[in-house]
Amino acid sequence: MEPTTEVPVGTVVVGYDGSDHSEYALRWAADEADLDGRALTIVTVVNPLSGYELSVLSGGWTPPNDIRKAIWEHAREQLETAKAGLHQSMPDLQVHVLLREGDARQVLLELAENAASLFVGSRGRGALKSLLLGSVSVAVARASACPVFVIRPQEPGHERHGVLVGTDCSEQTRPTLEFAYRQAALRDLPLTVMYCVGGVETMYGLCSVLDDDAVGYDDERRALAEAVSGMGEKFPEVKARLRVAHGVADVCLVQESEHMDLVVVGHHRGKSVGDLVRLGSFVAPVVESAACAVAVAVDRRSS
């Protein structure tokens, strides 16, 4: 099998290095492609090695070109094994494989330009072997042109309650809400829409989710209902619950992720320093600390 050199437009792309976390990402990506009727592209990025790194690996005995060849052959075998495994479990899924050399972040961001979505694991194999270093997931979430899913292992048997999305009830968050509704519909999961408001909890970095019948929050509930107006008609199969919480949004989302399958956050793909600051202060903590998978939805209208 020879890896492809072209990636189909609209494909689901997944970064893969054979680590446990990338295996989880591969399963999620395959499900997404299958449910959404898209092709899947499995990507492995080989980090270029410096002369010093090659000398350390060779021990002074193995020619550097032989080491490079062995690394590439190993990567090809990993891709072939991953593709064969998917062919057995999902024979109708169209799967492409791609092998590149370079910086994983740059390669994945390049592929994201024409992808429907991008999946990465939350951790990889380490400094020399890794496709997905710890910083890669945050890096691609900051700048990707398509939605990014950061997948991490979950404890088996732990009860979870579907998809969680945060909103400030502004028109800006409308695309993120629609993305969350669509994910819940695709995966046949319930949806929780959370509106975080100020309170004493925000001073101490805490979050308190209010009971549905808590008094004194009619305005917040009305704003939340208006924010999701029309979504029920567009996604009638989704069972959505609207919640108001006291606390900072990222703190609340991380806290509630303990009981969720997927947390959805959104950002506008801005070009200013302010855009990066807003993203860094909100999305990055959720991507890094959530106890479940995180999807960073991108409003392509702002690209």
Side-chain angles (χ1 to χ4, degrees), residues 91-102:
D92 296 329
L93 180 63
Q94 184 181 1
V95 180
H96 304 273
V97 293
L98 178 65
L99 180 58
R100 289 272 188 91
E101 183 178 57

Side-chain angles (χ1 to χ4, degrees), residues 46-59 62-65 67-68 71 101-102 127-129:
V46 175
N47 296 330
L49 300 179
S50 67
Y52 172 75
E53 290 168 332
L54 286 169
S55 66
V56 170
L57 290 173
S58 69
T62 306
N65 285 340
I67 294 176
R68 288 193 181 95
I71 291 173
E101 183 178 57
L128 293 183
K129 296 181 180 179

Side-chain angles (χ1 to χ4, degrees), residues 105-120:
R105 290 161 291 195
Q106 293 177 355
V107 171
L108 293 175
L109 288 174
E110 175 190 330
L111 298 176
E113 292 291 334
N114 293 315
S117 54
L118 171 62
F119 286 73
V120 294

Side-chain angles (χ1 to χ4, degrees), residues 1 7 35 65 75 80 86 92 98 113 130 134 153 160 175 188 192 234 239 248 254-255 260 267 284 287 290 294 296:
M1 173 204 69
V7 174
L35 292 169
N65 285 340
E80 184 174 2
L86 286 177
D92 296 329
L98 178 65
E113 292 291 334
S130 178
R160 298 195 177 265
D188 193 23
T192 300
K234 191 168 185 178
K239 296 179 180 178
V248 180
V254 170
Q255 172 183 296
M260 295 294 165
H267 79 87
V287 169
V294 176
V296 182

Side-chain angles (χ1 to χ4, degrees), residues 122-123 134-135 137-138 142 150 152 254 280 283-291 294:
S122 56
R123 291 292 183 272
S135 62
S137 57
V138 173
R142 285 180 183 273
V150 180
R152 53 177 46 86
V254 170
V283 175
V286 179
V287 169
E288 292 173 336
S289 303
V294 176

Side-chain angles (χ1 to χ4, degrees), residues 130-166:
S130 178
L131 162 67
L132 304 172
L133 303 179
S135 62
V136 170
S137 57
V138 173
V140 296
R142 285 180 183 273
S144 176
C146 72
V148 176
F149 291 75
V150 180
I151 308 301
R152 53 177 46 86
Q154 296 180 352
E155 295 180 12
H158 190 71
E159 184 179 1
R160 298 195 177 265
H161 304 291
V163 179
L164 170 66
V165 61

